[in-house]
Amino acid sequence: MGLRVVRSLAGSLRARGVESGFATVRAGWAGVADIVFPRVCVACRGPLTDDDGFRHLCSPCGAAVARIRPPACGVCGHPFWGVVEGARTCVHCDRLAPRFGSGAAAVLLRGSARALVLELKYHGGRHVLEDMAKLARESPQIIDHVKDAVLVPVPLHPRKQRERGYNQSHLIALMLARSAGGTTCVRPLLRRIVDTVTQTAFDRKQRQANLKNAFALASGATIVSGTRYVLVDDVFTTGSTLNSCAGVLREAGAVNLDVVTFGHG
Ligand SMILES: [Zn+2]
Ligand SMILES: [Zn+2]
């Protein structure tokens, strides 16, 4: 309990620096936080040095991140290993009837990359976004996929967002927009109207039933038919959540609609 409080305080000191936008303030906060609370690797809890490449992963854990490299499934982004011939069906999404065009992901959600996502989602670790940004920038399939699109974060229910203090998918979308540059921007066009219980214990059918009508267009949101939209979520698991969101945007008139996730679970 005590350690968790100390860790989240250190995280919030760093996060304040990260979000301030002023390099000096950021360096100042990070420096203070490092002295008072020495940084540890979010994956193995071992000590960190300035030469690790990542800011929150040690060298071995950083090297162990399972980065996705082409060729990959065009629907969910899972990599194809070995020789790829003919139709590109994928066991991870072949039972999904996607309501979006194509998908891409930066990493497989295991080991160190999983630790980054868990830190962001459940431990208030907004500071790990800088390492996620590094991984995204080093994944051309992600940057090309989001460039010059309108990024639409998968929303959290307002109750959950109040509890967490932020929507991790929104933060990932902002990070991707900054990394891709150009006219890439973030628009929270969706809202979650049903407070669905956590999805992890459900199979695909239960998830779909659970998510039926869980999302709606945000009030005042407008869809422009010529615009390319890319839904953003932290993780692709069964695709059910992204598909529900895609259905809402499709019905509102979105024609050019793709998805992107940081990880593939
Ligand atoms: Zn480590
Ligand atoms: Zn797939």
Side-chain angles (χ1 to χ4, degrees):
M1 175 71 180
L3 184 62
R4 172 56 45 85
V5 170
V6 166
R7 273 222 310 269
S8 70
L9 176 58
S12 94
L13 281 173
R14 294 193 186 100
R16 259 185 272 177
V18 167
E19 285 167 12
S20 68
F22 299 99
T24 337
V25 177
R26 178 173 60 217
W29 276 117
V32 169
D34 286 355
I35 293 162
V36 183
F37 313 105
R39 292 181 298 125
V40 295
C41 171
V42 295
C44 72
R45 299 287 163 200
L48 290 168
T49 71
D50 287 338
D51 312 319
D52 287 322
F54 291 92
R55 190 153 165 80
H56 304 285
L57 291 174
C58 68
S59 291
C61 291
V65 171
R67 297 166 187 251
I68 294 175
R69 297 279 178 239
C73 172
V75 174
C76 72
H78 196 277
F80 288 126
W81 285 294
V83 180
V84 183
E85 283 174 12
R88 298 189 166 188
T89 56
C90 164
V91 292
H92 303 278
C93 64
D94 63 357
R95 284 184 295 162
L96 185 74
R99 307 220 41 205
F100 50 86
S102 61
V107 298
L108 286 178
L109 201 72
R110 56 167 82 139
S112 324
R114 186 165 177 273
L116 288 175
V117 172
L118 294 182
E119 191 74 13
L120 175 64
K121 273 177 95 163
Y122 302 116
H123 303 150
R126 280 177 287 181
H127 48 283
V128 301
L129 279 160
E130 59 186 299
D131 284 347
M132 294 168 90
K134 173 179 160 64
L135 287 163
R137 283 196 303 270
E138 292 171 2
S139 305
Q141 80 273 18
I142 292 296
I143 298 301
D144 294 348
H145 197 66
V146 301
K147 183 117 168 99
D148 298 328
V150 171
L151 307 185
V152 183
V154 168
L156 288 180
H157 188 270
R159 183 198 59 79
K160 194 173 238 178
Q161 180 148 348
R162 268 198 306 277
E163 202 177 281
R164 191 169 290 172
Y166 54 87
N167 172 5
Q168 72 280 357
S169 298
H170 196 134
L171 297 183
I172 290 171
L174 290 170
M175 173 275 278
L176 290 172
R178 264 197 301 270
S179 301
T183 61
T184 320
C185 62
V186 179
R187 299 264 183 279
L189 298 174
L190 294 171
R191 65 197 165 102
R192 197 164 194 140
I193 49 177
V194 177
D195 193 0
T196 50
V197 287
T198 182
Q199 293 276 88
T200 41
F202 296 112
D203 64 18
R204 184 186 302 264
K205 257 215 162 86
Q206 288 170 312
R207 281 178 190 230
Q208 278 163 356
N210 198 18
L211 284 165
K212 200 162 182 279
N213 304 321
F215 300 97
L217 217 53
S219 57
T222 49
I223 300 297
V224 181
S225 62
T227 299
R228 177 165 175 259
Y229 296 94
V230 179
L231 278 162
V232 181
D233 207 357
D234 47 7
V235 173
F236 191 107
T237 310
T238 63
S240 305
T241 302
L242 286 161
N243 228 18
S244 296
C245 290
V248 175
L249 292 178
R250 283 267 187 244
E251 276 153 36
V255 177
N256 198 346
L257 174 61
D258 297 311
V259 305
V260 71
T261 59
F262 173 73
H264 194 302

